[in-house]
Amino acid sequence: VTENGSWNLAYQDTRLGRKNASRHNEIEINHATVSRVQATFSPADDGEVVLLCETANSPVIVNGERLALNQTR
């Protein structure tokens, strides 16, 4: 996390989810609608960032489109 509270997603995988004893989430959102293993942001070779949906129970929505389990955007 930078000084202004943002994450640099360009250099390593960044995991998002609720607090979890078995997995370290760099971005923790402690809310009942968020899975412990919600999603991972990964840098792509072309400089873009890929979002991987890792849950089937809590929706991951990008630009109004719900991602399925293991779907990327």
Side-chain angles (χ1 to χ4, degrees):
V1 178
T2 64
E3 291 178 15
N4 65 0
S6 63
W7 289 268
N8 186 339
L9 305 175
Y11 300 107
Q12 65 184 21
D13 288 352
T14 303
R15 292 170 297 272
L16 180 144
R18 275 195 340 249
K19 189 170 184 85
N20 185 351
S22 63
R23 169 176 142 150
H24 172 73
N25 292 311
E26 287 80 16
I27 303 172
E28 287 188 353
I29 302 174
N30 293 313
H31 192 274
T33 61
V34 177
S35 171
R36 286 185 222 96
V37 181
Q38 185 78 25
T40 297
F41 297 94
S42 299
D45 293 337
D46 63 3
E48 295 291 320
V49 175
V50 175
L51 173 65
L52 169 66
C53 175
E54 297 185 84
T55 181
N57 299 324
S58 300
V60 174
I61 300 172
V62 178
N63 296 328
E65 178 186 350
R66 184 177 179 153
L67 302 183
L69 177 63
N70 294 322
Q71 183 178 2
T72 59
R73 185 65 63 236

